[in-house]
Amino acid sequence: MSAQVFILAAHRAGQADESALELLAAAGALFPGCAPVALALGAPGEVAVVGAQLAASFPEVWIAGSPDLAYPNAELARPLLVQLLPPGARLLMAHDTFAMDLGPGLAVKLGAAYLPDLVGGAGAEGDTLLAVRHEYSGQVSAHVQADISLGVVVTVRSGAFKAAAGSPGAVLDKSAEAPGLRARRRFRELLQPEAGGVDITREEVLVSVGRGIGEQENLELVRELAEAMGAAVSCSRPIVDAKWLEKARQVGTSGQTVRPRVYLALGISGSFQHLGGLKGAPFLVAVNKNPKAPIFRAASVGVVADLLELVPALTARIKQGR
Ligand SMILES: Cc1cc2nc3c(=O)[nH]c(=O)nc-3n(C[C@H](O)[C@H](O)[C@H](O)COP(=O)(O)OP(=O)(O)OC[C@H]3O[C@@H](n4cnc5c(N)ncnc54)[C@H](O)[C@@H]3O)c2cc1C
């Protein structure tokens, strides 16, 4: 019998993250024919709710609830997973900061292979898994082969696999295996993004600006275009780091997750941390002066141009057309 496949489901405020369904798709691609078990760790009440949500798409769901697990803490999750997972288990997680913290140590404890940040892969053949990763900010693809005879811990990049529709199953409560968890690291405080004047998570059309804008005063060009389009302005992280726009407008893994219908990316290279905040497969138009910019791989339409020339021309054309 082949080793069992598990996905560790992320959740927040009683809501399973949609990355679980991307992991379901990844599990199907990497281990064809598998019936992955979804695992959810968290506070007892919350994890029961999340488990019920996951049971709509997974044939089997394991939940482990403990007050100590109310906030993700790799130091607590690691020994618990070592206890829960059967020998040779194949575990998939979304490639986020928690998984980056948890994954390497967990793989060592399990004696399993570790394959972080997968963007693709061929079905495993016996004990060999062939995976694809992007390196040098997505400029090259690396094809990596791993011996998974003792199991594997895989983290999967957000958006690399299209969410799959699963079939319903049952929830098994494994909370009894989570007593007396101890960690030297403790959760102190959850810092919510500051409430800004705009909620980019609810906008249908976003004009997003990146470091390619060059100077703070050039932001005015972007604001004018957004206004002409009836869109809101969002941005990549360097724009927030430079304090040119407020944190509430940052799209990405350490910013907001947005689901617009249309996303116009101006001078944004397309790092996975940025694209990780883009959900729901929007119509993505990328403007970049570098034809090799990774964002063009994700774009529905790509325009190789200097945004400082294109943006004012576009604004003028939209205003003319009214
Ligand atoms: C833990 C962690 C979390 C992170 N979280 C986030 C996050 O939430 N969101 C996020 O965005 N980033 C995040 N980052 C940063 C991320 O790795 C990238 O550094 C960042 O997304 C790059 O932003 P950018 O594309 O605006 O800048 P760059 O990568 O510098 O790209 C600028 C682009 O503009 C183009 N350009 C330059 N001039 C012009 C011009 N005149 N016209 C047209 N194009 C031009 C360039 O060709 C280039 O492609 C995170 C990083 C880490 C380590």
Side-chain angles (χ1 to χ4, degrees):
M1 203 177 93
S2 61
Q4 246 179 318
V5 178
F6 293 82
I7 72 109
L8 185 62
H11 56 92
R12 194 158 173 204
Q15 190 62 45
D17 192 81
E18 67 184 39
S19 59
L21 296 181
E22 293 182 14
L23 294 177
L24 178 61
L30 299 175
F31 307 107
C34 72
V37 176
L39 275 167
L41 316 179
E46 187 179 356
V47 88
V49 173
V50 171
Q53 293 163 10
L54 293 166
S57 308
F58 286 85
E60 195 171 324
V61 180
W62 293 6
I63 58 170
S66 158
D68 297 322
L69 296 168
Y71 290 94
N73 182 340
E75 230 187 313
L76 297 172
R78 196 174 296 121
L80 177 58
L81 288 171
V82 170
Q83 203 170 320
L84 285 176
L85 294 171
R90 294 149 177 198
L91 175 68
L92 282 73
M93 304 186 274
H95 187 76
D96 55 20
T97 45
F98 176 60
M100 281 188 256
D101 191 6
L102 174 65
L106 179 63
V108 169
K109 289 278 182 197
L110 294 171
Y114 177 53
L115 282 173
D117 198 14
L118 252 69
V119 295
E125 282 181 20
D127 286 335
T128 304
L129 181 63
L130 184 71
V132 182
R133 308 180 56 211
H134 283 167
E135 294 185 351
Y136 300 103
S137 303
Q139 307 277 348
V140 296
S141 292
H143 292 235
V144 191
Q145 188 174 306
D147 173 353
I148 59 167
S149 52
L150 297 178
V152 65
V153 174
V154 171
T155 70
V156 178
R157 187 177 293 187
S158 170
F161 292 85
K162 201 162 179 284
S167 47
V171 179
L172 263 77
D173 194 340
K174 302 269 180 180
S175 303
E177 300 195 38
L181 294 168
R182 290 209 191 288
R184 283 160 294 187
R185 250 189 296 172
R186 286 213 194 95
F187 170 79
R188 290 288 297 271
E189 188 187 1
L190 180 67
L191 297 173
Q192 298 282 9
E194 287 163 31
V198 65
D199 182 357
I200 60 168
T201 65
R202 292 171 185 272
E203 296 289 336
E204 294 237 305
V205 184
L206 287 172
V207 174
S208 210
V209 57
R211 189 152 33 199
I213 193 69
E215 310 267 338
Q216 185 173 12
E217 55 257 37
N218 294 338
L219 279 177
E220 203 43 45
L221 300 175
V222 177
R223 286 198 188 96
E224 282 170 15
L225 175 61
E227 200 187 325
M229 289 173 62
V233 175
S234 55
C235 63
S236 66
R237 180 158 147 175
I239 302 298
V240 173
D241 290 346
K243 300 198 175 5
W244 293 355
L245 286 174
E246 63 272 28
K247 178 83 177 165
R249 292 186 190 265
Q250 180 189 319
V251 173
T253 52
S254 60
Q256 305 275 19
T257 298
V258 295
R259 287 178 180 76
R261 274 190 307 111
V262 178
Y263 192 76
L264 175 55
L266 303 169
I268 293 177
S269 58
S271 68
F272 75 88
Q273 290 98 343
H274 185 80
L275 294 176
L278 215 50
K279 297 284 173 183
F283 189 76
L284 168 56
V285 182
V287 178
N288 199 300
K289 68 178 184 185
N290 175 7
K292 291 193 173 156
I295 193 145
F296 288 133
R297 291 212 196 112
S300 318
V301 172
V303 184
V304 179
D306 184 335
L307 76 91
L308 300 177
E309 291 168 13
L310 186 86
V311 168
L314 205 53
T315 308
R317 181 60 79 87
I318 292 170
K319 284 183 175 168
Q320 254 173 28
R322 277 185 185 156

